Amino acid sequence: MEEFVGKVWHNWVTRTAAGHYPEAAVKLAEVEKTVGILFRAFGGDPGLKVAAATAETHGARRRWLQRLAGTGEKQALARRDAETLRLPPEITAFPDKTLNRDLYLWLAALAASDVAPEQPWFIRNQRASQAALSNYPGLAARYSRLVAAHLAARIAPAELQADEAAQESAIRQALLEPASVDGLPPLNSRQSRPPQPVLLWLIAAEAPVTGQVADPGEHLPPEGSSSSEPGKDAHKAEQVETPDNKAPMLASFRAESLPTWAEYVRVNRAYDDDEDPNARNVANDLDKLSLTRDGQTAVSRVKFDLDLPSAAEDDTPIGPGIALPEWDYRKALLLPKHCHLQPMIAHDAGRAALPPELAATARKLRGQFAALAPQRRWLKAQPDGAELDVDACVRNHADRHSGHTPETGGYLAQARCERDLACLLLADLSMSTDAWISDTHRIVDVIRDSLLLFSEAMTATGDRFGIYGFSSLRRQNIRFHLLKDFNGRYDDAARARILAIKPGFYTRMGAALRQAASILYEQQAGRRLLLIITDGKPNDLDLYDSRYGIEDTRMAVYEARRMGLTPFCVTIDREAGTYLPYLFGPAGFCVIRKPEELPRRLPLLYAQLTRD
C-alpha cells in the first residue's frame, strides 16, 4: 500500500514540482551570514542559529512535502524549532536567481515576525506575514514579486477537485492578503490530496516552539513501528543527520580517542525530571549510538566504552558540596538548588618543578611581565621619610623668611604602587580535552602548559590569582577542581596539582561559572577578571546539550557582570563564532585558531585585558 501511494503521489509531485531551476540555484552558504544578521535585526530570537534543514523521511506525507518544495528531490522546507531557524540548503524554485535569494531573506523576516506561535500553521504564517509587512514596509515589493512567481507555479484551483480547490483558493487569498482568511477548509475524503506546500511560509511543527528543547519531528519513529517493551527504547539513540560543522579538535582517528568522540555524537538525552528509571539510565549507559557518514542514510551502530576515571584515581572531595541554581529558559525561571557542585583537590599530588621544556618560555614571560609589577615611587614634601626633599626644604625656608607658614613637609618617602586587580582562571577539563591535536599533544596537555605559564607570568606581576578546573556528569555531579586558590602561593605543590589534571566528563558551564564568580566576588580588588578556557560549547548528558545549556551559561555570564566582574572566554573551538558572541558578547571572547599557541598567547592576552 505504501508503495502504491508513493507512486500515486509521485505523479502528483511531477505535476506540481515544475519549479526547479538548478541554473538559478542559490545556496544557503552564500547568504547564511546575511540571513542571520537580518533575522536578528528584525527582532528574531538571538539564541537561534541559522542552519540548513535536513530532509526527513518519516512517513509518505513528509516525503511528499519535501519533494514538493521546489528546492530539489530531497530538500527540506523552511521551519523553526527551539534552537534553529532551519532553511533549505539550496533554493531553485524560481528561474530568476534574485527571487531565490529574496526567498531566503523573506523567510528570515517571517521567522523573526512570528507573533502568534500558539496558532495553527495556516493562521500563524498569515499573522507573521502581516507583521513583517507592517513593521518593515520595504519588504512589500519583494514579497509581491515572490507571491506572483509562486502563484504562477502552483496548480490552479480549476484543475483540482472541489475540496482541494477550496483549500488552494484559501491559500492564494492568504498569500495575497495576509490575515484575511480565518481558516483552511477541510478535505472531504481520505483520497483528497493535502495542499501544495507554500514556499513563502514556514512548515508546521508538531508542537509549539515555546517550551521545546528540540523539535519532536526530529525523532519521530517510522510509521507503523512499535517497541517490544515499554521504556526499552530509552536506551537507543535515534538516527540523526550529523551537522556539517564537525568538531575541530578531532584530528586523525585514534582508538584511545573513542571516549572523546562520544561527546560529539548527538543522542536522545534523558530529562532530569523523567520519572522512568530506564529513561534516567540512558544518560549513564550510552549503550547504543547511531552515526551517519557524510549525510548518508546508512547507519553504523557503535558501542563505546567511556573509560571514565576510576574512583581510585579521582581527586579528593572538599566538604559536602554546594547547591547552586540553574536557569531554565523555557520557564524563564532560576531553579534554586538545582545543581550540586563538589569542590575537589588532587590527593597525593606531591610537589613538582616546572617541566624543562617550558623553562625557556617561562623565563621570557617573567621578563616581559616584570614591567607590569608594582614599582616603588618617591613621594615629595612628606612630613617624614628616608631622605630630605631639597626642593621642599628651600621652598619652606623661603616661606618662613617672607612671613608665611610652610604648608608642606621636607622629606622624600617611598610608596609601593599596587595593581588593584584579581583574576580567576577557570579551565574546562571535560572529556573532549582528551582529543589529540598532534602526535605528541592532546588538548588537555596544551591547557596544562597554559596554566603553568600563566602562573609563572602572574608571579612576575604580583597580581592575585586563583586557578580552578571543572567538568560535570549531569547536574548532580559537577566537579570543581582546586588548583590554586587566592590565599595560597604558587609553589611546587600548586605546580603538581596543575600537572595532575586529566580529562573528566562533560561541560556544565553555568554552575562552574556561578561558583567561580562567587569566589572572585569575595576578593577585594578594583578590577576582577574571570577568565575561562574551553574547547567547546556547554554540554552534558541530559538536556544541557541543547539550547538549555547555552541559555544557562549566558545567564551565568550576565549574573557575573551584574556582580561587577569581567568574564572573558578563550577558546580553541574554531566554530565558537556561532555561539560565543551570544554568550559573552562580541568583545567578550577570543578564538585561538592554533591550539598549540594557547600556552604562549594566554599570558599576553591577560596583559592586554589588564592594561590600564
Side-chain angles (χ1 to χ4, degrees), residues 8-294:
V8 172
W9 279 353
H10 176 72
N11 295 332
W12 173 245
V13 169
T14 303
R15 294 185 61 202
T16 56
H20 180 57
Y21 304 93
E23 68 280 359
V26 175
K27 296 182 181 296
L28 178 60
E30 301 173 18
V31 297
E32 183 174 358
K33 186 174 182 180
T34 301
V35 168
I37 293 174
L38 188 68
F39 173 70
R40 293 172 179 84
F42 282 174
D45 187 343
L48 293 182
K49 62 182 179 180
V50 177
T54 55
E56 301 174 24
T57 57
H58 300 305
R61 184 176 184 274
R62 280 188 179 275
R63 291 196 293 274
W64 173 73
L65 285 172
Q66 291 154 5
R67 291 169 182 167
L68 223 58
T71 57
E73 178 68 13
K74 288 283 288 181
Q75 301 289 342
L77 293 168
R79 60 178 297 209
R80 170 184 168 179
D81 59 27
E83 299 184 37
T84 311
L85 171 59
R86 303 178 186 273
L87 299 177
E90 181 182 72
I91 292 181
T92 60
F94 306 115
D96 186 350
K97 189 169 184 176
T98 302
L99 284 176
N100 290 326
R101 183 179 184 275
D102 285 348
L103 180 53
Y104 272 125
L105 303 182
W106 167 252
L107 290 172
L110 185 72
S113 305
D114 190 12
V115 295
E118 73 288 347
Q119 294 294 325
W121 162 80
F122 187 71
I123 302 298
R124 180 179 181 179
N125 277 286
Q126 288 189 78
R127 294 279 302 276
S129 300
Q130 182 188 43
L133 294 172
S134 175
N135 295 333
Y136 314 108
L139 294 173
R142 279 190 173 91
Y143 179 75
S144 297
R145 291 195 298 268
L146 287 170
V147 169
H150 181 46
L151 294 182
R154 297 176 67 87
I155 295 178
E159 300 182 42
L160 303 173
Q161 61 187 40
D163 54 350
E164 296 172 2
Q167 285 199 343
E168 177 63 21
S169 297
I171 290 175
R172 287 172 175 260
Q173 177 66 22
L175 283 170
L176 292 170
E177 298 181 23
S180 64
V181 184
D182 294 334
L184 196 63
L187 296 175
N188 296 330
S189 68
R190 298 186 62 181
Q191 285 71 34
S192 298
R193 292 161 297 196
Q196 307 163 65
V198 183
L199 300 187
L200 276 65
W201 289 353
L202 303 179
I203 65 172
E206 283 75 13
V209 170
T210 304
Q212 295 293 327
V213 175
D215 194 290
E218 293 288 349
H219 304 293
L220 287 177
E223 293 182 358
S225 65
S226 61
S227 300
S228 58
E229 297 179 24
K232 183 176 181 180
D233 287 342
H235 292 278
K236 294 183 179 179
E238 303 282 355
Q239 174 178 344
V240 296
E241 298 292 334
T242 304
D244 293 333
N245 53 336
K246 306 294 191 301
M249 293 298 104
L250 299 182
S252 59
F253 171 79
R254 292 171 177 264
E256 61 268 33
S257 294
L258 278 175
T260 302
W261 194 9
E263 186 172 25
Y264 294 91
V265 180
R266 291 187 59 190
V267 300
N268 278 353
R269 306 299 190 186
Y271 285 75
D272 288 324
D273 298 328
D274 198 334
E275 296 300 329
D276 182 1
N278 289 326
R280 285 201 299 269
N281 289 337
V282 77
N284 298 324
D285 293 345
L286 282 180
D287 56 349
K288 289 187 178 180
L289 301 177
S290 294
L291 307 180
T292 59
R293 295 198 187 108
D294 302 325

Side-chain angles (χ1 to χ4, degrees), residues 306-327:
L306 293 183
D307 193 22
L308 297 173
S310 67
E313 299 176 351
D314 208 356
D315 289 352
T316 302
I318 305 174
I322 302 170
L324 292 173
E326 188 167 88
W327 174 254

Side-chain angles (χ1 to χ4, degrees), residues 354-368 453 456:
L354 188 70
E357 62 271 18
L358 299 180
T361 305
R363 282 195 300 271
K364 182 178 179 180
L365 286 173
R366 283 195 295 267
Q368 292 173 335
L453 292 179
E456 295 290 332

Side-chain angles (χ1 to χ4, degrees), residues 345-521:
I345 189 169
H347 71 284
D348 297 333
R351 304 178 69 85
L354 188 70
E357 62 271 18
L358 299 180
T361 305
R363 282 195 300 271
K364 182 178 179 180
L365 286 173
R366 283 195 295 267
Q368 292 173 335
F369 277 72
L372 299 177
Q375 302 293 329
R376 293 185 178 275
R377 63 188 182 92
W378 289 101
L379 301 178
K380 296 184 177 182
Q382 298 300 306
D384 54 56
E387 298 183 17
L388 287 174
D389 183 350
V390 176
D391 291 339
C393 290
V394 171
R395 186 166 51 252
N396 291 341
H397 182 73
D399 288 342
R400 289 191 186 93
H401 279 75
S402 61
H404 296 88
T405 301
E407 297 180 357
T408 61
Y411 295 92
L412 293 174
Q414 281 189 330
R416 183 178 178 85
C417 301
E418 298 286 349
R419 278 165 54 95
D420 191 16
L421 189 148
C423 175
L424 188 147
L425 195 153
L426 182 63
D428 173 6
L429 301 180
S430 60
M431 71 168 67
S432 61
T433 61
D434 197 32
W436 292 82
I437 58 174
S438 69
D439 291 336
T440 58
H441 284 78
R442 300 169 298 167
I443 295 176
V444 70
D445 301 324
V446 172
I447 292 177
R448 183 184 297 119
D449 292 348
S450 302
L451 299 182
L452 290 170
L453 292 179
F454 177 83
S455 300
E456 295 290 332
M458 293 292 282
T459 55
T461 65
D463 293 344
R464 288 176 292 139
F465 70 102
I467 302 180
Y468 297 82
F470 76 97
S471 69
S472 65
L473 191 61
R474 307 186 74 188
R475 65 182 177 91
Q476 297 91 348
N477 186 12
I478 302 166
R479 303 150 60 82
F480 197 74
H481 302 269
L482 168 62
L483 304 177
K484 181 203 172 294
D485 61 16
F486 282 94
N487 297 324
R489 296 179 54 195
Y490 173 66
D491 52 15
D492 288 348
R495 290 191 193 94
R497 289 193 293 271
I498 294 174
L499 288 169
I501 65 173
K502 51 188 174 293
F505 299 91
Y506 295 88
T507 317
R508 209 174 195 95
M509 192 177 292
L513 279 173
R514 288 185 176 92
Q515 178 62 14
S518 176
I519 295 172
L520 183 58
Y521 181 72

